[in-house]
Structure formats: structure tokens, C-alpha cells
Amino acid sequence: MNDTEIARGSTAERPHGVADGTGLIDEALAYAAPAALRAVAACGVADHLADGPRTARELAGTTGLDAGALHRVLRLLVTRGLFTEDPEGRFALTTRGALLRGGVPGSLRDAVLMLTDPTFWGPAARLDHCLRTGESVFTEVFGVPFFDHFARDPATAAVFHDGMAAMSSVEDEPIARAYGFPATGTVVDIGGGRGGFLAAALRTAPGLTGVLYDRPHVLAGHVLGPAADLAGRWTIAEGDFFEKVPTGDFLVLKRILHDWTDEQSVTLLRNCRRALAPGGRVLVVDAVITPDARPHQGKTLDLLMMASLVGRERTEDEFRALFTAAGLRLTRIVPTPAVLGVVEGVAD
């Protein structure tokens, strides 16, 4: 290795300590990548590459962005597999980068904007507060708790709900099919947002009916109405799931429990137990953290829960403890192609 290779940042064949040090600095710099990702998502850059490769200068002409700055941002994202750059300096979308386009099937642009929104980004920068106190830092940053902030800021609430819908759009059908709902019964999607998972569940079996349960302002944006194949098979119900939930055969809590403390989660699960039809099931659809060193998206999301909310991602044992405290018995965990599992429980 020559001095030029070292200057360029190669870690190949470096002394062990130097390589470790460079790797640690890389970890400290890693936040620049999601910053770049957010920037191109916010500026809609991927939409301008749908028809083929373009140089940064050509992209600048159609987007109104600065060509030099755009080239530097895209150059970093090339190293992350989101774009490619050819010898002529033309950038193109990869399969993964194409998910940054807006308004296309499977788009994750809104999910990226949600996960990099200041509501998560700001508190994440203050994790030291969480380490010192064991508490969320969100109220200290924004003045009120997470969901109270959304109640007073409709624009931020829209970012959250759009982002959650985008994340759900690519996982709802695989999760519903992996669980394997029976031919008949009533599925209640508790805190179900716009109804994407309920729609996916109903489509797995034509004899199923469903209830979408959430706050009125969330239900106003539900997606069930236009679907002809779901006509007559669903209703909506408004309410607070900490007070009560509708009766059904399958009470679904998808990406809900991880928002809340153990005590709040037990309260919610008890409400579900009371509302279960005879022989019914409670289905908690959340990340199930494995007790080993394997990478898992849930371990990253867990830190966002810690910083911005009051909940956490949980292990199988932690779910079992919650179920037991609520008078439920954990019967099985159904793996899915997504990062979430289906934790199933019955009345004990």
C-alpha cells in the first residue's frame, strides 16, 4: 500500500489499530448518510431519474437544485447502493433507490421523510439524556409528549401518518398471509390508522369482516372506501383504545404496543381480553427482538422509541410477561417476511 492509497481512506492491510480507529470514525460519521437520504427524498430527486440517467447538472436544471451540492450528495448515496454513477457522471436509480420515487407502488419516500423528521432526529441526538434519566427526551425538546405534539401540529401529524402508511404498504399483505387468517371471523384493527392492514387481512379470505378502530381525525383518511372487493365487509369505529376496544375474533395491534410503557400496554391488552369473542385471538404485530448479536431493524427502532416515545421493542419473554399480566396466554409467534412477527395470545 502506498501513501496515496492511505490518503484516499483505504483500510486494506492497515495495522489493526488504525483500521479499528478508521472504522470507529466511520460509525461516528454515519449520520450523514440518512441526512443525504432525507435531502434527496425531500427534493424529489428520484422522480427526475425515472426516465433514465442524468448528470447532476441536468438534474439541477429540472429540479432547481445546486448542481455541485447535488453531485456531492448523490456521490455519497452511490456508496449506499441507492444510485449508480457511470464514467460520464450520469446518475441512475438502483432498484432500492427507485423506492424513493413518490406516488408509485411500494414507494417508501414518505417513510424516509417520517423516520428522518425532526420528531425522531432531534431526540435521537439527545440519547445521553435517556441514558442519564431512563426517560424520553421528547418533551424536553418539543415541550409536550409525542402524540400531544401531533395533536397541536397537523402538518407533522400528516408526515407521521403518511410515513406509517408507506411503511405498512410493503409489509401488510406478507404479514397477513403469513399469519393465515381463517375463512370467517371478524378482524378488529385497533389503532389501525388508514386501514391498510385490515384491507390486506380481509383480502386473504372472502368470508372475513373487519372493524377499523382509531381516533376520528385518523379515520378520516382511511383507504377502505374505494375498494370494490371489500364493499360491505368493513365498518369504522371511533374511540380511545385505553378505554375500550370493539369486540371481535381477531384483535390486531400492529405497531402499537411498542409506542407505550409496559403498564400502558397491559391496560390495552386487558381491554382486548375483555373484548375477545369466544375462542378469539389477540395479535400483536411488532418487532420481536432476538437475544443475540444478530442485526435487527427492531434494535434500531428501539432507540427511536426510547428517545421520542415511552415504549420499546420487546423480546419474546417480555411479550409473554405482558400477556400474562393482562390475563392472556402467549400461544405462538408467527414469523413473517417483514421485520415484524405476529405474537398471538388467547384468554387464559
Side-chain angles (χ1 to χ4, degrees):
M1 177 181 294
N2 58 40
D3 291 342
T4 301
E5 289 174 319
I6 294 175
R8 287 175 178 170
S10 171
T11 59
E13 299 180 8
R14 287 186 177 185
H16 183 66
V18 175
D20 285 345
T22 300
L24 183 58
I25 296 302
D26 285 341
E27 291 287 346
L29 289 170
Y31 68 89
L37 179 60
R38 176 176 178 79
V40 297
C43 295
V45 173
D47 294 321
H48 294 271
L49 289 172
D51 294 329
R54 292 185 175 185
T55 66
R57 186 170 298 281
E58 290 168 339
L59 283 169
T62 59
T63 61
L65 304 175
D66 180 84
L70 181 57
H71 182 272
R72 294 160 69 183
V73 167
L74 291 175
R75 180 174 61 188
L76 174 60
L77 294 178
V78 165
T79 71
R80 300 295 173 129
L82 297 170
F83 302 90
T84 61
E85 183 181 9
D86 67 19
E88 286 72 45
R90 294 178 301 179
F91 292 95
L93 294 171
T94 63
T95 301
R96 187 156 59 125
L99 299 177
L100 288 170
R101 294 176 58 197
V104 298
S107 170
L108 289 175
R109 179 175 180 268
D110 288 336
V112 167
L113 292 175
M114 175 191 71
L115 292 170
T116 58
D117 187 79
T119 51
F120 287 119
W121 193 291
R126 300 283 305 281
L127 278 174
D128 59 313
H129 171 95
C130 303
L131 291 177
R132 291 187 174 98
T133 67
E135 298 178 350
S136 167
V137 72
F138 192 93
T139 299
E140 182 172 313
V141 175
F142 290 96
V144 293
F146 189 82
F147 288 110
D148 292 345
H149 178 59
F150 286 175
R152 71 179 186 181
D153 187 343
T156 299
V159 169
F160 178 78
H161 292 302
D162 288 346
M164 288 303 300
M167 288 181 68
S168 295
S169 68
V170 297
E171 67 187 15
D172 284 338
E173 181 180 352
I175 291 172
R177 293 200 177 279
Y179 178 70
F181 286 95
T184 60
T186 298
V187 179
V188 182
D189 196 356
I190 299 166
R194 295 176 178 173
F197 183 77
L198 180 59
L202 296 183
R203 288 189 173 110
T204 66
L208 287 175
T209 58
V211 180
L212 180 61
Y213 184 67
D214 213 317
R215 297 282 195 172
H217 70 279
V218 180
L219 292 170
H222 77 79
V223 298
L224 299 173
D229 60 329
L230 303 181
R233 299 174 56 198
W234 58 269
T235 59
I236 61 174
E238 302 174 353
D240 180 347
F241 51 50
F242 285 121
E243 296 179 359
K244 64 178 182 178
V245 301
T247 297
D249 301 291
F250 299 92
L251 305 188
V252 178
L253 297 164
K254 181 172 181 284
R255 293 190 184 270
I256 298 295
L257 286 196
H258 74 163
D259 291 340
W260 305 103
T261 65
D262 287 352
E263 293 76 15
Q264 291 168 315
S265 296
V266 169
T267 296
L268 177 49
L269 288 170
R270 284 175 177 157
N271 289 343
C272 290
R273 188 190 185 284
R274 284 191 285 269
L276 273 179
R281 300 282 192 271
V282 175
L283 309 181
V284 174
V285 185
D286 259 333
V288 181
I289 302 300
T290 54
D292 53 38
R294 286 180 292 172
H296 193 294
Q297 189 182 96
K299 295 176 182 178
T300 304
L301 288 173
D302 187 43
L303 299 192
L304 299 188
M305 298 301 106
M306 181 168 62
S308 287
L309 291 108
V310 295
R312 62 188 303 152
E313 307 296 343
R314 296 179 171 92
T315 65
E316 178 178 348
D317 286 345
E318 288 169 333
F319 279 118
R320 181 172 285 106
L322 294 182
F323 277 43
T324 299
L328 296 165
R329 176 168 52 85
L330 195 159
T331 52
R332 59 176 177 153
I333 296 179
V334 180
T336 78
V339 298
L340 309 180
V342 182
V343 186
E344 179 191 78
V346 299
D348 202 2

